[in-house]
Amino acid sequence: MISSDVIRGYNDTIILSLLLEQPSYGYEISKRIRELSGGDYIIKETTLYSAFNRLEQNGYTESFYGNETGGKRRTYYRITEKGRTYYQEKCDEWHLIQKIMKPFVQF
Amino acid sequence: MISSDVIRGYNDTIILSLLLEQPSYGYEISKRIRELSGGDYIIKETTLYSAFNRLEQNGYTESFYGNETGGKRRTYYRITEKGRTYYQEKCDEWHLIQKIMKPFVQF
DNA sequence: TAAAATTACTACGACAGACATAGTACGATA
DNA sequence: TATCGTACTATGTCTGTCGTAGTAATTTTA
């Protein structure tokens, strides 16, 4: 039983999937999403940063400052164990949604 | 280029896919969704009827009364040409979303 | 035959994620 | 020195979903 409120919550999953590889920060995440989607998906800045806040509030990520010398300091995000679990659950949910949608969409 | 605001708008598509076969009404649509999803998706009544209103306001469906003798009269919905076009567009969009999501979800 | 379940809705309000708009701040490049 | 790229924050709006509740008629069952 899933809710209909789907992809809408999948930006968090997308971000977590990238943090799974390595800790990262806003701009890099944004670029990776654009690249990996072949330019088909460009996440909005406000959407991205509000996802970061939500992720951290839920304990799915932890943030820390990079040690860049000079320049604006970056906030890096690292996925937590709780975040990994959540990511797996969302992947499962995504597969279910695809299965559910199948009878309703044409080729 | 898609928006992140996805499945959330896909109830309309699901409903249209069923109206493509034949005109139908609330309860029947609801049952068909439950059946075709193998019980994995049960649409909420309020979600369903607000989708019906939206669909009609957008010109994707037309409604008419059934000719049941006695009993509460049903509102039937029929898909329009505009609705068919919209349905096709949403199917295409759905395929794109699946493609976009692929690199971010595990098996 | 009375009660409960099913069918067929409408109204209202809350919620959350996405996003438009705008602004701040710094460094590097032209 | 002006623009572009990087790195954000704040605020408010929009929309689809859904919780809750109520109405009303018909059908089933106890």
Side-chain angles (χ1 to χ4, degrees), chain A residues 38-85:
Chain A
D40 284 326
Y41 184 37
I42 298 172
I43 194 166
K44 301 289 183 307
E45 271 188 280
T46 40
T47 301
L48 181 64
Y49 288 108
S50 71
F52 279 145
N53 290 335
R54 195 167 42 239
L55 248 13
E56 183 131 28
Q57 268 170 17
N58 290 329
Y60 300 146
T61 58
E62 282 165 359
S63 61
F64 59 97
Y65 290 120
N67 53 1
E68 298 83 19
T69 53
K72 259 217 133 181
R73 68 184 178 182
R74 283 180 193 140
T75 305
Y76 281 79
Y77 297 90
R78 172 196 299 127
I79 191 168
T80 61
E81 260 315 295
K82 203 177 163 193
R84 284 170 203 270
T85 305

Side-chain angles (χ1 to χ4, degrees), chain A residues 6-97:
Chain A
V6 190
I7 275 282
R8 203 194 190 207
Y10 278 83
N11 280 308
D12 297 38
T13 308
I14 289 173
I15 293 166
L16 289 178
S17 84
L18 296 175
L19 295 182
L20 223 51
E21 297 167 17
Q22 58 184 306
S24 187
Y25 55 93
Y27 201 72
E28 197 174 60
I29 294 276
S30 171
K31 265 198 306 183
R32 296 268 301 144
I33 293 174
R34 195 170 62 239
E35 285 163 16
L36 286 170
S37 70
D40 284 326
Y41 184 37
I42 298 172
I43 194 166
K44 301 289 183 307
E45 271 188 280
T46 40
T47 301
L48 181 64
Y49 288 108
S50 71
F52 279 145
N53 290 335
R54 195 167 42 239
L55 248 13
E56 183 131 28
Q57 268 170 17
N58 290 329
Y60 300 146
T61 58
E62 282 165 359
S63 61
F64 59 97
Y65 290 120
N67 53 1
E68 298 83 19
T69 53
K72 259 217 133 181
R73 68 184 178 182
R74 283 180 193 140
T75 305
Y76 281 79
Y77 297 90
R78 172 196 299 127
I79 191 168
T80 61
E81 260 315 295
K82 203 177 163 193
R84 284 170 203 270
T85 305
Y86 176 72
Y87 171 70
Q88 274 306 329
E89 285 165 6
K90 290 298 270 184
C91 285
D92 291 347
E93 191 189 69
W94 178 247
H95 293 300
L96 179 57
I97 287 158

